[in-house]
Amino acid sequence: MVSSSASTSLMISPRKLRSDLYSYSYQDDSETPLVVNVLASLIERNMARNQRIAKNCSSPWYMSKDMKKTRIFECHETPDLTIQSYLERIFRYTRAGPSVYVVAYVYIDRFCQNNPAFKINVTNVHRLLITTIMVASKYVEDMNYRNSYFARVGGFTTNELNKLELEFLFLMGFKLHVNVSVFESYCCHLEREVSIGGGYHIESTLRCAEEIKRRQNEERRYNQFAGVLL
């Protein structure tokens, strides 16, 4: 059980999320944007739903011939990180702003619509996230890190990420433009996720995030002590 005071301190309101999306302060010591928590919750719920569907299918979706097109995203040696901690790691080292995660969410949705046989699961989620966030960062922000840096942050080789990016662009038909109305509609969807259907899941994710942040602080202190640079 979480105390009422702790629960209250972790609450997210749609208004707070919108304020975070549109007036986020880009500083070196900035807290993780709220959209990261919401996106983590959405992805985790999608994965859980896909897992339930896979168990009930007589012909597993991963045996589909259409999966050959997206097989490059499958990886059996995945980072030992939760979705929440993986997204927080990406933010911590890239400082990609909230709008990048919204656009990445748009790309993930488009990608899944364009490739209906593709289902997000534990073997492909990390590759999908680092690829979409990197591409979204290039689309949204003026200054970006190189692919080699994103690869190190995501836990992959530069060659792997280069191939993922190229394949992703072709599977998307190079349709990366996100106009204002589309961006706004996805922001509204994220707000609805907070206010209606996803409140419990997001609060649960945030409670988990407290433990993750503690571990990250320990990791940061260890890296400083050991003199290890990313």
Side-chain angles (χ1 to χ4, degrees):
M1 290 291 291
V2 178
S3 66
S4 59
S5 60
S7 178
T8 301
S9 66
L10 294 174
M11 287 290 287
I12 292 179
S13 69
R15 180 177 297 179
K16 189 174 182 181
L17 175 63
R18 176 169 287 270
S19 174
D20 194 52
L21 286 171
Y22 288 97
S23 59
Y24 185 77
S25 176
Y26 292 84
Q27 299 176 1
D28 290 339
D29 59 348
S30 299
E31 292 293 324
T32 304
L34 298 179
V35 67
V36 168
N37 303 311
V38 183
L39 182 59
S41 176
L42 283 168
I43 296 295
E44 287 171 352
R45 289 166 61 191
N46 183 275
M47 289 171 59
R49 182 169 60 250
N50 290 337
Q51 187 175 17
R52 289 195 301 270
I53 294 173
K55 287 181 179 179
N56 296 327
C57 285
S58 56
S59 178
W61 51 264
Y62 53 79
M63 297 296 290
S64 171
K65 293 181 180 179
D66 293 336
M67 279 297 294
K68 291 181 180 179
K69 296 188 298 182
T70 58
R71 188 170 294 173
I72 190 173
F73 288 93
E74 300 296 325
C75 180
H76 296 292
E77 294 183 2
T78 59
D80 187 21
L81 295 170
T82 65
I83 305 304
Q84 174 75 28
S85 58
Y86 192 66
L87 288 174
E88 288 205 1
R89 173 181 169 82
I90 293 173
F91 169 75
R92 186 177 4 137
Y93 289 114
T94 67
R95 291 294 167 180
S99 58
V100 170
Y101 295 93
V102 177
V103 173
Y105 177 39
V106 176
Y107 290 166
I108 291 171
D109 194 33
R110 286 182 184 175
F111 184 82
C112 292
Q113 290 182 28
N114 292 344
N115 304 277
F118 179 84
K119 306 297 180 184
I120 302 176
N121 60 59
V122 293
T123 66
N124 58 37
V125 64
H126 296 93
R127 288 188 170 202
L128 181 66
L129 285 173
I130 191 64
T131 303
T132 53
I133 291 172
M134 183 182 72
V135 174
S137 177
K138 291 180 179 181
Y139 179 81
V140 173
E141 301 188 320
D142 295 328
M143 298 182 64
N144 294 279
Y145 289 105
R146 294 181 178 180
N147 284 22
S148 57
Y149 185 82
F150 270 98
R152 283 191 291 168
V153 171
F156 303 103
T157 67
T158 303
N159 186 48
E160 284 177 318
L161 190 56
N162 287 343
K163 290 180 178 179
L164 286 169
E165 180 185 27
L166 184 62
E167 195 64 30
F168 175 79
L169 293 174
F170 275 102
L171 290 170
M172 288 281 285
F174 290 86
K175 295 179 180 179
L176 303 179
H177 179 62
V178 177
N179 60 37
V180 175
S181 62
V182 170
F183 182 87
E184 182 70 19
S185 68
Y186 276 83
C187 287
C188 290
H189 178 76
L190 291 170
E191 290 173 16
R192 287 196 300 272
E193 176 69 15
V194 173
S195 62
I196 303 176
Y200 170 78
H201 299 277
I202 293 165
E203 288 179 41
S204 176
T205 300
L206 284 172
R207 287 194 290 270
C208 179
E210 293 298 303
E211 175 63 19
I212 291 169
K213 288 179 180 178
R214 183 186 66 78
R215 293 179 182 177
Q216 288 176 344
N217 288 334
E218 291 179 354
E219 178 187 346
R220 188 179 298 111
R221 286 195 295 270
Y222 173 80
N223 288 341
Q224 290 174 346
F225 176 77
V228 177
L229 297 177
L230 181 68

